[in-house]
Amino acid sequence: MRHSDQKGEFEQKMIDVRRVARVVAGGRRFSFRVAVVAGNRKGDVGVGIGKAGDTATAIEKAFRHAKKKMIKVKLTKDFSISHETEAKFASSRLILKPSPKGQGLIAGSSVRTVVELAGIKNITSKIFSRSKNKINNA
């Protein structure tokens, strides 16, 4: 009852699905790693990772992790951010700039998904890393 209400509140999008393996005595055991972005388009957004034997369970775990790691983004009245922000995580570097009203969402890769689900409508972003790692970029 309460669980389904919570799930309906947030939207989720998958940004990455990978089949990973660990080597055991009989050969390789495969599992799936899924990265999910969850948000309510009102300023709350989170990124989560889940790993399981099948994709459905991995997605569920990733969604729970994303809800647990949720952050609040302060939005201006025209659904932008208040000032320019630089971020670095591992080898990924990116800049987020507020853009004038009506210019729209200019972002690529997994950054676009995170910004969309946060509810930001007017923003410009640029990824400066040479890394294509979607999880680090998100």
Side-chain angles (χ1 to χ4, degrees):
M1 275 108 39
R2 185 154 192 259
H3 180 70
S4 62
D5 293 340
Q6 285 289 91
K7 192 170 185 179
E9 187 182 333
F10 295 106
E11 286 182 52
Q12 67 180 27
K13 283 190 181 175
M14 268 192 294
I15 55 172
D16 194 28
V17 180
R18 288 238 171 118
R19 190 178 79 161
V20 294
R22 71 177 194 275
V23 179
V24 291
R28 293 188 187 96
R29 290 260 167 86
F30 293 103
S31 61
F32 292 91
R33 185 194 71 191
V34 177
V36 167
V37 178
N40 63 357
R41 296 186 190 264
K42 295 176 191 155
D44 293 320
V45 68
V47 179
I49 301 169
K51 205 188 289 186
D54 64 304
T55 50
T57 313
I59 290 168
E60 187 63 38
K61 282 183 180 180
F63 182 64
R64 277 201 309 265
H65 187 248
K67 283 201 312 190
K68 199 182 290 183
K69 299 290 180 187
M70 205 145 278
I71 61 165
K72 180 81 175 157
V73 179
K74 287 201 177 8
L75 300 174
T76 61
K77 61 184 179 298
D78 61 331
F79 297 103
S80 187
I81 54 175
S82 55
H83 56 84
E84 186 178 316
T85 305
E86 261 187 70
K88 182 179 186 320
F89 181 80
S91 68
S92 297
R93 284 184 30 229
L94 62 110
I95 289 182
L96 299 171
K97 291 181 183 177
S99 53
K101 187 173 178 144
Q103 190 171 358
L105 181 64
I106 302 167
S109 179
S110 53
V111 178
R112 183 180 197 90
T113 309
V114 173
V115 169
E116 268 178 7
L117 291 178
I120 301 171
K121 290 185 174 70
N122 294 306
I123 197 168
T124 306
S125 78
K126 177 68 181 155
I127 300 173
F128 285 108
S129 68
R130 288 154 301 286
S131 169
K132 298 285 181 264
N133 188 326
K134 293 176 185 166
I135 296 170
N136 286 348
N137 287 337

